[in-house]
């Protein structure tokens, strides 16, 4: 299994541009989520999905959109990039058992918005 | 709103020392608590997961405890090694199935 994969690894955008961060998993996990990590802070939840066709907002959803058309993929879209969205983005997945779920994380995407 | 706090923010110890990392959370209505390790520039690796009905979990030199009623967890690392140097993050799965992270403890184990 490849686990959780994220592309691209690095990205530089200009203010106002849009882009999609890709996340895929091959473990048949129901639960997928997106986080951002800023210096000196832990991870903050952006959006999450408990299964195909179902998404919900996390702590910091503004400026980001998600969709979950398949179990495997959970892309994160930046509609109009802002410098405040400069961060490292992590995608995670798990089976979906709330009590015993172990989260598997991707390697991250480092995004810079100028 | 669930808040997770980790103390200390940074820790430097000599090799071989036993150490304790602390994590506290404000709302005891959680499904589980997880400890992660993050190496610089890398993703997160799950170390231990404690379900809300459990009191502790062990893996090798690591032992994590959970006191849900007081909103506290500790990660005990025995006989620390330079390879243990990393940032350690704790996170709770709250009642709405969101994973809420602390800001981490940066550990340096000196040879």
């Amino acid at each position: 299994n490849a686990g959780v994969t994220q592309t691209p690894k690095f990205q530089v955008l200009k203010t106002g541009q849009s882009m999609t961060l890709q996340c895929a998993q091959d473990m048949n996990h129901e639960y997928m989520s997106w986080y951002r990590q800023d210096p000196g802070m832990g991870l903050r939840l952006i959006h999450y999905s408990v299964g195909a066709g179902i998404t919900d907002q996390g702590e910091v959803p503004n400026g980001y959109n998600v969709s979950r058309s398949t179990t495997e993929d959970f892309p994160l879209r930046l509609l109009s990039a802002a410098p405040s969205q400069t961060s490292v983005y992590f995608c995670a997945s798990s089976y979906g058992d709330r009590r015993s779920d172990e989260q598997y994380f991707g390697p991250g995407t480092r995004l810079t918005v100028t | 709103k669930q808040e997770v706090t980790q103390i200390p923010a940074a820790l430097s110890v000599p090799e071989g020392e036993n150490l304790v990392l602390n994590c506290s959370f404000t709302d005891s209505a959680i499904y589980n608590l997880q400890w992660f390790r993050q190496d610089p520039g890398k993703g997160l690796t799950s170390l231990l997961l404690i379900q809300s009905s459990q009191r502790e979990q062990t893996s090798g030199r690591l032992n994590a405890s959970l006191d849900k009623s007081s909103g506290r967890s500790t990660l005990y690392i025995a006989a620390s090694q330079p390879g243990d140097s990393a940032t350690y993050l704790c996170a709770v799965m709250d009642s709405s199935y969101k994973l809420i992270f602390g800001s981490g403890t940066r550990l340096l184990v000196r040879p």
Side-chain angles (χ1 to χ4, degrees):
Chain A
N1 288 349
V4 180
T5 58
Q6 291 184 239
T7 57
K9 283 190 168 56
F10 301 94
Q11 183 71 49
V12 179
L13 290 178
K14 293 189 189 310
T15 297
Q17 287 184 318
S18 63
M19 79 159 294
T20 299
L21 279 64
Q22 302 291 345
C23 174
Q25 52 88 13
D26 60 357
M27 298 174 280
N28 203 30
H29 284 171
E30 290 294 326
Y31 184 90
M32 296 185 74
S33 51
W34 277 102
Y35 299 84
R36 60 177 289 172
Q37 185 174 35
D38 301 297
M41 302 181 70
L43 280 72
R44 290 183 292 169
L45 181 65
I46 305 172
H47 286 286
Y48 66 104
S49 168
V50 298
I54 306 169
T55 63
D56 207 345
Q57 296 182 348
E59 298 176 79
V60 288
N62 293 341
Y64 308 95
N65 273 3
V66 293
S67 60
R68 184 96 179 269
S69 56
T70 67
T71 299
E72 295 78 19
D73 300 295
F74 191 43
L76 178 73
R77 283 183 287 277
L78 281 69
L79 306 174
S80 177
S84 61
Q85 293 179 305
T86 293
S87 189
V88 181
Y89 291 85
F90 290 100
C91 177
S93 72
S94 65
Y95 282 107
D97 183 327
R98 300 180 187 208
R99 289 182 302 276
S100 61
D101 249 4
E102 180 179 344
Q103 300 287 327
Y104 293 80
F105 279 79
T109 293
R110 189 173 296 273
L111 176 66
T112 301
V113 183
T114 61
Chain B
K1 178 189 169 186
Q2 178 74 265
E3 292 183 1
V4 181
T5 303
Q6 291 188 246
I7 295 173
L11 184 62
S12 178
V13 300
E15 182 177 2
E17 193 162 298
N18 302 325
L19 57 99
V20 174
L21 307 181
N22 296 295
C23 173
S24 62
F25 49 96
T26 55
D27 187 346
S28 61
I30 63 171
Y31 283 105
N32 62 55
L33 183 144
Q34 301 176 58
W35 283 94
F36 296 88
R37 169 185 173 136
Q38 185 177 29
D39 294 292
K42 304 290 187 184
L44 279 69
T45 302
S46 178
L47 296 173
L48 289 165
L49 181 148
I50 311 176
Q51 296 181 34
S52 60
S53 58
Q54 298 174 327
R55 295 301 298 264
E56 67 176 344
Q57 283 286 342
T58 298
S59 176
R61 294 183 292 109
L62 304 180
N63 175 276
S65 68
L66 174 63
D67 184 340
K68 206 170 68 152
S69 60
S70 67
R72 293 182 183 182
S73 175
T74 60
L75 178 67
Y76 175 82
I77 302 177
S80 58
Q81 303 170 356
D84 294 330
S85 298
T87 297
Y88 291 80
L89 295 153
C90 79
V92 297
M93 179 68 74
D94 73 7
S95 56
S96 58
Y97 205 10
K98 296 175 186 174
L99 196 61
I100 308 298
F101 281 84
S103 55
T105 293
R106 195 168 60 253
L107 173 66
L108 174 65
V109 181
R110 309 185 303 272

